[in-house]
Amino acid sequence: MTTSFELREVRHEERALCWSGISEEFGTIEVRYPADGPMGSTTARVLGSAIPSTLLIGWSLFDDKPRLTGARLQLGGEEVQLRRRPWAVRRKGRALRITHDGNEYRCRAIRRKKYVLTRPGLAVTVTQSGVGTKRRRVQVVIDGPAVPVDISLAVLFSGVNRAQLTLGGAFRTGFSPILNLSMDSVQPV
């Protein structure tokens, strides 16, 4: 069974961006970045009528989206374990691993603006497209039986800097501390 829905980019307040839309199965969905979070951090938050609230707390020097290095994930108010291997050469090895409630998820980059969140029996593919504020969209394609937690985790990463899941992004992130280009650490989460 394959279903899909679309989120569109909306600008809230003075600076916050948001992907917002409605899914027939999961109701209203909103991904805000940067969202309210601890001082000195950059965050992305998912809110919805039928999905749990999800918050990724990271930091970013120049971007509104939090980075994965040193990030913390909260799902429904509880801390969720994140792991990744920043020096892996293959996409599968660089995938972000998320463990929640006995489920093992993997978030893997397909291209710069396309990624997939998987768990056994489910694949949620998210593709960003469009140029200009009124034309930007996120297409979410669900292949398999999904529960609200799956959707909340999948759409969250549309508001996160996923460059470290690509080979080029992993390379830049790995060498940035050596070249003193940013404050990133190379330690896996």
Side-chain angles (χ1 to χ4, degrees):
M1 176 173 100
T2 301
T3 60
S4 67
F5 62 91
E6 184 177 87
L7 304 176
R8 294 176 183 232
E9 189 176 57
V10 179
R11 189 171 291 276
H12 286 289
E13 291 100 36
E14 62 278 346
R15 204 176 132 222
L17 292 170
C18 172
W19 294 112
S20 181
I22 299 174
S23 163
E24 288 181 21
E25 192 174 348
F26 300 102
T28 59
I29 298 172
E30 191 172 278
V31 182
R32 286 186 176 221
Y33 60 96
D36 295 334
M39 288 293 287
S41 68
T42 306
T43 59
R45 180 184 302 271
V46 175
L47 302 166
S49 58
I51 61 173
S53 175
T54 307
L55 176 69
L56 187 116
I57 304 166
W59 70 272
S60 179
L61 202 54
F62 302 110
D63 197 8
D64 289 333
K65 294 181 176 184
R67 293 174 155 233
L68 293 172
T69 301
R72 294 185 353 250
L73 179 63
Q74 295 176 358
L75 180 59
E78 72 178 60
E79 198 79 21
V80 176
Q81 182 182 2
L82 296 174
R83 296 179 324 276
R84 69 182 181 85
R85 294 185 311 177
W87 292 102
V89 176
R90 292 183 165 181
R91 280 185 202 173
K92 191 175 180 180
R94 282 190 311 276
L96 179 67
R97 291 162 186 79
I98 305 162
T99 305
H100 173 69
D101 206 22
N103 287 320
E104 185 75 31
Y105 294 91
R106 286 181 186 238
C107 182
R108 181 176 49 87
I110 296 173
R111 290 189 303 271
R112 190 173 66 86
K113 291 191 174 191
K114 186 174 185 175
Y115 65 94
V116 63
L117 180 87
T118 59
R119 70 164 166 75
L122 175 74
V124 182
T125 305
V126 181
T127 308
Q128 291 176 254
S129 63
V131 178
T133 310
K134 295 183 181 188
R135 294 192 178 126
R136 289 188 190 138
R137 290 176 170 69
V138 170
Q139 182 71 32
V140 181
V141 178
I142 306 160
D143 189 16
V147 296
V149 170
D150 302 331
I151 302 306
S152 187
L153 284 173
V155 298
L156 171 70
F157 294 101
S158 64
V160 173
N161 183 335
R162 302 174 310 277
Q164 295 158 322
L165 300 180
T166 66
L167 185 60
F171 183 77
R172 285 189 303 277
T173 301
F175 283 101
S176 62
I178 296 167
L179 301 173
N180 205 13
L181 296 175
S182 75
M183 298 166 56
D184 261 353
S185 66
V186 188
Q187 298 176 359
V189 174

